[in-house]
Amino acid sequence: MSQLNLVLLGPPGSGKGTQGERLQSDLDLPYYATGDILRAAVRDETEIGKDAKAYMDKGDLVPDDVIIGVIAERIDSHEAEDGFILDGFPRTVGQAEALSDKLEELSSRLTAAIVISVPDEEVVRRLSGRRTCSNGHIFHAEFDPPEKEGVCDVCGEELRVRDDDKPEVIKNRLAQYREKTAPLVDWYDERGLLERIDGSEPPDDVYEDVRALMATLRMEEEA
Ligand code: AP5
């Protein structure tokens, strides 16, 4: 069977992580969420974490040269030989070019870049109610509450509000998305790789659309 190499694109709070968790468990592919990787690096005080922290606290993107190597190493690894799901990477045209070059070097290619769209006002509602654990499992106080308040249903870790989910930081993250990441929608469209998903429905309904898309992509890959 051919590789399934997927990118999840979309503004902050569009549901990339929520849909990515479901996809990972359905497809059994490695899932690389750059936000989670960077937050772990900050927590562990690695060199990358020290470089990234100030950018993340403000809602700015970390520089391309900090993040590109992190992802290149993972998609070059044995665990990604059947494919991968990338969440939050690429986020700039420079990162998209680096990913394309890396895949070419590996004689591989991207299957699809899936953009999940939601309006800005929905982003703010979602991020202000988001609760996450240190393992990256995601809940929402109103739309997707855990069974026991403050405790992750999956791993039992404490649930917290993310440091960058403060109103002024959310505003900057949206501005960064519009300026630096939204151009990737056209970039992938021009290369025939873009797939669009409406992220404004409830999570399970959005996932039905994602599953239908996966079935189509699989058929196309195997044709
Ligand atoms: P990152 O962690 O990737 O943040 P983001 O892209 O802003 O995305 P989010 O994680 O906020 O949202 P999401 O789309 O995953 O939504 P979620 O599923 O959680 O990046 C953080 C920072 O790291 C960046 O600001 C940057 O500094 C740095 N960084 C990361 N990658 C980088 C890169 N490649 N280059 C440079 N810098 C990088 O859902 C949100 C909430 O909504 C949850 O509470 C969820 O339960 C709820 N929800 C989800 N779907 C629905 C639905 N359909 N209906 C109702 N509620 C829903």
Side-chain angles (χ1 to χ4, degrees):
M1 192 183 295
S2 54
Q3 284 185 333
L4 199 55
N5 296 329
L6 303 170
V7 159
L8 298 177
L9 271 179
S14 53
K16 302 181 295 296
T18 302
Q19 300 302 323
E21 268 186 27
R22 288 164 157 84
L23 260 182
Q24 179 191 23
S25 86
D26 262 10
L27 300 177
D28 197 23
L29 287 176
Y31 170 62
Y32 304 125
T34 41
D36 291 347
I37 293 169
L38 290 169
R39 277 184 290 279
V42 170
R43 220 171 29 243
D44 297 344
E45 298 183 5
T46 66
E47 283 310 308
I48 286 175
K50 285 179 200 158
D51 285 347
K53 186 175 181 340
Y55 296 98
M56 296 176 77
D57 284 349
K58 281 191 282 181
D60 287 342
L61 297 188
V62 307
D64 284 357
D65 59 352
V66 173
I67 195 73
I68 286 172
V70 172
I71 288 301
E73 196 181 297
R74 282 169 170 80
I75 64 178
D76 206 350
S77 67
H78 178 65
E79 70 170 9
E81 65 188 12
D82 292 333
F84 55 78
I85 305 162
L86 289 178
D87 165 358
F89 184 96
R91 253 176 157 100
T92 62
V93 171
Q95 293 179 17
E97 287 169 346
L99 175 62
S100 170
D101 291 349
K102 185 72 200 176
L103 288 171
E104 201 178 315
E105 183 192 313
L106 296 170
S107 304
S108 185
R109 63 186 174 81
L110 195 68
T111 311
I114 302 166
V115 61
I116 305 177
S117 309
V118 293
D120 284 5
E121 59 277 14
E122 179 69 9
V123 164
V124 175
R125 280 199 321 146
R126 287 186 186 182
L127 295 187
S128 38
R130 173 164 57 188
R131 304 290 180 268
T132 57
C133 72
S134 59
N135 293 318
H137 301 126
I138 307 161
F139 299 85
H140 191 283
E142 187 187 340
F143 307 133
D144 183 19
E147 275 174 27
K148 189 171 168 208
E149 199 182 322
V151 179
C152 177
D153 289 350
V154 185
C155 62
E157 291 278 317
E158 183 190 1
L159 293 175
R160 296 170 155 248
V161 176
R162 246 169 63 175
D163 287 344
D164 59 350
D165 281 346
K166 299 179 194 125
E168 66 282 9
V169 184
I170 294 174
K171 211 169 142 195
N172 187 40
R173 285 164 61 202
L174 272 169
Q176 294 276 314
Y177 177 79
R178 266 189 228 104
E179 183 192 341
K180 296 176 181 155
T181 309
L184 288 181
V185 173
D186 284 346
W187 196 90
Y188 279 119
D189 202 12
E190 284 158 13
R191 286 156 182 80
L193 289 169
L194 190 76
E195 300 290 346
R196 294 175 194 272
I197 291 285
D198 174 5
S200 58
E201 299 296 319
D204 289 346
D205 296 354
V206 176
Y207 194 60
E208 280 309 303
D209 293 343
V210 173
R211 278 169 68 112
L213 171 62
M214 286 307 120
T216 308
L217 291 174
R218 279 270 190 224
M219 272 189 330
E220 285 171 4
E221 284 295 304
E222 281 158 23

